[in-house]
Amino acid sequence: MHLGLVIPRTGAHDPTDLAIDAEQQGYDSVWMGELWGTSSVVKLAEIAASTDEVELGTAIVNVFSRTPAVLAMTAATLDQVSDGRASFGVGTSTPTAVENIHGMEFERPVRRSHETIEIITKILRDDEPVDYDGELLGVNGVPPINADVPIYHAALGPANRRVVGRLCDGWMPHNIPFSELENAFEVVERTAREADRDPDEITIAPYVPAAVSDDAEEAYDAVRGHIAYYVGSGKGYQNAVSTLFPDEAERVAEAWQAGNRGEATGLVTDEMVHELGVAGTPEDAREQLRELIAETAMDRPLVTIPEQAADELATETIDALAPVSEA
């Protein structure tokens, strides 16, 4: 069993320091997201220079704001500077991020994901110059790079999960209830077999939002805030949660979008926290994570520190959950 850590981009702790600590604590991989404010790739390059063995991954970079060729070069270069330790996680992000931050149309995100990942894979792995003429994207005569970098995709809906089955090495679901992962993976599995791929070789690496504190309610509130943010800010995330909590997800989203952020956070129930994250005292949180690893369909859980816990609880959470990797 592998255990990874998604490092918060913001807060009092420098991501590189947290990554060094995670490696020393026994995490097998560290990952960084990218929305605004910090380039995950630049920080991961710094982390690569400051660590020895821990694997490094993007979780995630979006498929809109960089071209497929730039993404392929970025993956290959990160792998090179880390001596072969890189994995590359991509996803669609959200309409708000793509349109408001990057000024691009959130056009046909599933097709965009498919074509982007297919071009990246060809550039990284083909032996001949890459020609590609897709519905949205095209390249001509791109020299191959010859880099074996695993490609992960943060796909939520079934159409995007089919992209994972056709093309990807790993799946990074976020906000799909843990007990629903196996059912959700059936789409990936079926599509992989149709493409003559072995679904057992596709790594299931779900985000596991986690907060640990001697004050259990403080930890629960951090994870509640994380869930409320995602349910309120993206329809795809809301739909994922709705597979198990349709009414609750709708109420959280309505409150968040009305500007009532505290109310939205308070509407996240304990049951939702348990199905979508890990929270509590060190002993309770470790037991929750052990049960998830033993009882649900996950190969590489990615402990994710909520932004709400980035200051006070980050190191406590990292330290408390690290022994689970030995369980």
Side-chain angles (χ1 to χ4, degrees), residues 161 171 180-192:
R161 276 179 264 148
W171 177 42
E180 293 294 309
L181 284 174
E182 187 171 1
N183 290 337
F185 188 72
E186 288 179 358
V187 173
V188 179
E189 182 177 20
R190 183 168 58 252
T191 307

Side-chain angles (χ1 to χ4, degrees), residues 136-203:
L136 300 177
L137 301 168
V139 298
N140 182 28
V142 181
I145 296 177
N146 190 26
D148 187 16
V149 184
I151 304 299
Y152 287 66
H153 185 25
L156 293 180
N160 227 353
R161 276 179 264 148
R162 286 193 284 272
V163 175
V164 176
R166 294 187 198 103
L167 299 171
C168 297
D169 303 292
W171 177 42
M172 306 176 74
H174 190 185
N175 274 23
I176 293 178
F178 299 133
S179 63
E180 293 294 309
L181 284 174
E182 187 171 1
N183 290 337
F185 188 72
E186 288 179 358
V187 173
V188 179
E189 182 177 20
R190 183 168 58 252
T191 307
R193 294 193 189 282
E194 291 170 353
D196 293 324
R197 303 183 68 219
D198 183 356
D200 291 338
E201 294 183 357
I202 299 174
T203 301

Side-chain angles (χ1 to χ4, degrees), residues 63-64 104 108-116 136-137:
V63 296
F64 286 90
M104 304 180 70
R108 300 178 65 187
V110 174
R111 187 65 201 173
R112 179 92 180 201
S113 294
H114 178 104
E115 294 189 10
T116 298
L136 300 177
L137 301 168

Side-chain angles (χ1 to χ4, degrees), residues 5-92:
L5 174 71
V6 180
I7 300 172
R9 303 181 309 273
T10 61
H13 303 284
D14 182 79
T16 301
D17 293 337
L18 292 178
I20 294 169
D21 184 38
E23 181 176 48
Q24 293 171 346
Q25 294 279 6
Y27 288 86
D28 80 320
S29 58
V30 293
W31 305 69
M32 280 202 67
E34 183 179 273
L35 189 56
W36 65 81
T38 300
S39 166
S40 64
V41 177
V42 173
K43 287 303 293 184
L44 285 168
E46 181 181 16
I47 290 168
S50 304
T51 55
D52 297 313
E53 297 181 355
V54 69
E55 296 178 33
L56 312 174
T58 56
I60 61 168
V61 294
N62 75 74
V63 296
F64 286 90
S65 61
R66 296 177 176 93
T67 68
V70 170
L71 289 170
M73 288 187 287
T74 300
T77 305
L78 184 59
D79 195 56
Q80 181 183 36
V81 300
S82 65
D83 295 325
R85 291 186 278 148
S87 294
F88 208 63
V90 300
T92 62

Side-chain angles (χ1 to χ4, degrees), residues 282-292 324:
E283 182 177 355
D284 288 343
R286 282 194 292 268
E287 183 58 30
Q288 290 171 37
L289 186 54
R290 287 192 186 98
E291 290 178 0
L292 286 178
V324 176

